Amino acid sequence: MSEHPNPHPAPEADEPLPLEPTHDHPIAGHRYDGIREYDNPMPRWWVMIFWATIIWSPLYILGEYVFDWIPTYSERLAAQTERLEATRTAYTAANPTFSTEPAALAEYATNPDHAAEGAALYATTCVACHGDKGQGGIGPNLTDDYWIHGGTPEQVFAVITKGVLDKGMPPQEATLTDEQRGQLVAFIESIHGSNPPGSKEPQGDKAEG
Amino acid sequence: MKQTIFRRHRQLEGWPLVFTILVTVGILVGGLVEFIPLVLVKDNVPRIASVKPFTPLEAVGRDLYIREGCVNCHSQMIRPFRAEIERYGDFTKAGETVYEHPFLWGSKRTGPDLQRIGGKYPNLWHVRHMEDPRSTNPQSIMPPYAWLLKDDLDFAVIPGRLRALSRVGVPYTDAEIADAVANAERQATAIAQDVAAQGGPAGLERKEIVALVAYLQRMGTDVRTSQAPAGATATDVATPDSVH
Amino acid sequence: METPASPTPAQTARRAPAQLDVFRYDDGIVRMFVIATVTWGIVGMLVGLLIAVQMPFWKANLGPYLTFGRLRPLHTNAVIFAFAGNAIFAAIYYSTQRLCKARMFSDVMSRVHFWGWQAIIVAAAITLPLGLTTSKEYAELEWPIDLAITVVWVVFAVNFFWTLYKRREPHMYVALWFYIATIITVAVLHVGNSLAIPASLFKSYPVYAGVQDALVQWWYGHNAVAFFLTTPFLGLMYYFLPKAAERPVFSYRLSIIHFWSLVFIYIWAGPHHLNYTALPEWAATLGMVFSVMLWMPSWGGMINGLFTLRGAWYKLRDSVVLRMFVIGITFYGMATFEGPLLSVKSVNALSHYTDWTVAHVHAGALGWNGFIIFGMIYWLVPRLWRTELWSPRLANWHFWLGTLGILVYIIPMYVAGVTQGLMWRAFDDAGRLVYPDFMETVTQIVPLYWVRVVGGSMYFTGVLLAAVNLTMSIRNAPKLLPDPAVAMPLSPAGRHGGDGGHAALAD
């Protein structure tokens, strides 16, 4: 196996490494540009942890695919979904149900406290498209008498909830509670007719807001 | 046994060729064991019938997305967590990515995930947002990309791009490649007209922005069930197996 | 009968010690790589500083060419391939010659390697701001540059392996094992991940799609960290640390076990970058368990480094070189514990996509790579330029600014990462997202981005001090720097015991 063609004859055999590691004895023949090597044993804790990870690894794989100790992606997601549903159910049970009946909604929307709550939500959720005063922008003007999808509280509530995908209005069903959407309706009702500066031209049909 | 390993190793240290071969074998094993099944076993990437190649305009729009380095701050990979599904929409399926050369999943979300951005906002929103992100979101830290509204889109490169893509396996037919420029112009005109109709700037049909908007509006929409809005899929109890 | 039998070579050597094999090391190439290291280090970190400012302050995005999206790849490529790359080459060219007792095989190849590599870096610095990118992380360069990298790497490999072949030292020291692993694996990774079909001169599409492209990319990306930022640096540590400490390496047996386990296991760990993605779960699981098994092989290097200093700790007081090595190795130990931790699925679920990753990477890059590099440079400069280091005080300032700078960088990034990760997943009592607006999770961490800028500036200032120190030292260097000559007796007796048989000749 002599593969190097250097001008020197093949090296003499090194003194064999001691069978058992020695402590802080430089190994005979191990000298490289002045660097020497000890024959110290590998630290015991290091060897033990290494073995532990080697044993743990197949156990993890078996635990995931054979013994069902470790949930898979879909099992984790199913558990998360179940937990979330339980939270939502418990919340609904513990809190008086928010009625989305048209009459109740209309009643709710007239309360200025609810409109104030809605104003805060509007500032984070709606302002980008409908303008800071509801004057419209990318989305339609919310202060005039013209409505593309209807201007009753019930209709506005439905648009916020389900969105209008082909026009780019995102649904808020998953991000806002029924009551929060009710507060938004209250706010929108409260700015009706305010005619803020820079109002977008009317879109949709004239209706009683 | 252990002792002989250490003594044998001493011999190996005198044989660079053997040493190098052993290292090469050692580093090849792991990669091959992971890669080969992924290519050979079809179940690993279940096909989804509704997933189609990008249109010519979307394909060059994707190249602009690559050019501007959007992937450095935006992922396109919604993980199967409830919180991500609520925030972004249904999680990403392997089969949705079969035409992605390269993949653009990203590794950092300085901005939000964009996997299901398609159809979420109007075309005009995207135009305004790219021109000045602060106009749609006052606190945004995203850089403006106003030049996309000024620079002309190079339609002439499209056939060459599609041909290269077809060579790496995207099923564009010769007829589609021949019609690619016209096809892209049609889609660009439609988007530009829509932007103008919504009150945005006119005359964008030959600008780079329309290609990027076309791509953004396509993203993640191939698996969207008809009628149901983006948020609605989020409330389905979808599992990774449900689309297989 | 009177004619004496011709003597055996051994007898000749014994009788005529004057018969010497004289050769010279090529230190010129090492000086070139050292200067390139510091130069590109400044460039790469300056770009890093700019993009760090761009994150909290969008107005720092200047026109199309200097936006975050185009500069971030320039930063990563510059610090990995230009800064760390040139440093690796300096270390390899310096130590390989001495460990092989041989000059590099070809001076021409060494120079082709050097200038080819610098040309590639310049090409990267031009094309990336132009938006010519493949978008694959740490492999953004387009196909003509990829081809050039391949050619230059092959030149480097031939030069290196031929030097090994004609070495005068019978055995290869552990540093050389790590260099071998580096050269082979980087070649395989680069070619494997860059396979693409060109659409034009500066546009190509990878042959892999979607899930497969993701797997190949992170096989590459993870192992670029392994075989560009870890194995060559371990080789470097195994040479320069015992040299600087003048102590024997702690354990030869540990070297063997941790080398082979590291090389074999590292390559499997790539898919941990794709936990919970559309990559099939079995692949992510493999990536995770191999990452956990990688913990001890990584720590083997740290142990061999730190334990080599047993009995030499007092030397740290006066040696900025050793202090930098110790901080570097400590950060290596931290980062290689954190790596397996982050690969665990439930931790990754929180950390992925956040600034936690950024903190982790910079603990490794600034702590491990950066400090090992500058430790090496402070050790090399007096030897390569045959002069004193201009100002040990300034080097000391570099050490402290760098160490504190790393902490001021990574701590806010850890806080930002965990904060944002928790905000993204928070649900309220009603089962709604607490922060449905992504923006809320950004404004929360913007102040921390500013703190990071401070930490990065401190580290960068330290690097500037190093550059001043290096420049002033070189100005004091003698005009003529002949290559050091070495003589070895042409005899087997002289070979045994390596160093015993040769002496450096006076220049």
Side-chain angles (χ1 to χ4, degrees), chain A residues 3 14 33-34 39-40 173, chain C residues 165 171 239 251 253 432 499:
Chain A
E3 55 168 64
D14 279 295
D33 196 33
D39 183 32
N40 284 313
E173 192 170 21
Chain C
Y165 187 58
H171 295 105
Y239 180 82
S251 171
R253 290 168 201 256
R432 310 276 157 178
D499 271 12

Side-chain angles (χ1 to χ4, degrees), chain B residues 65 69-75 106-114 142-143 145, chain C residues 55 68-69 72 353 438:
Chain B
Y65 186 96
C70 306
V71 71
N72 287 295
C73 292
H74 295 281
S75 58
S107 61
K108 177 72 168 59
R109 284 182 187 152
T110 302
D113 187 279
L114 299 180
M142 185 170 122
Y145 293 86
Chain C
M55 294 192 73
F68 183 91
R72 190 259 180 179
Y353 299 128
F438 189 90

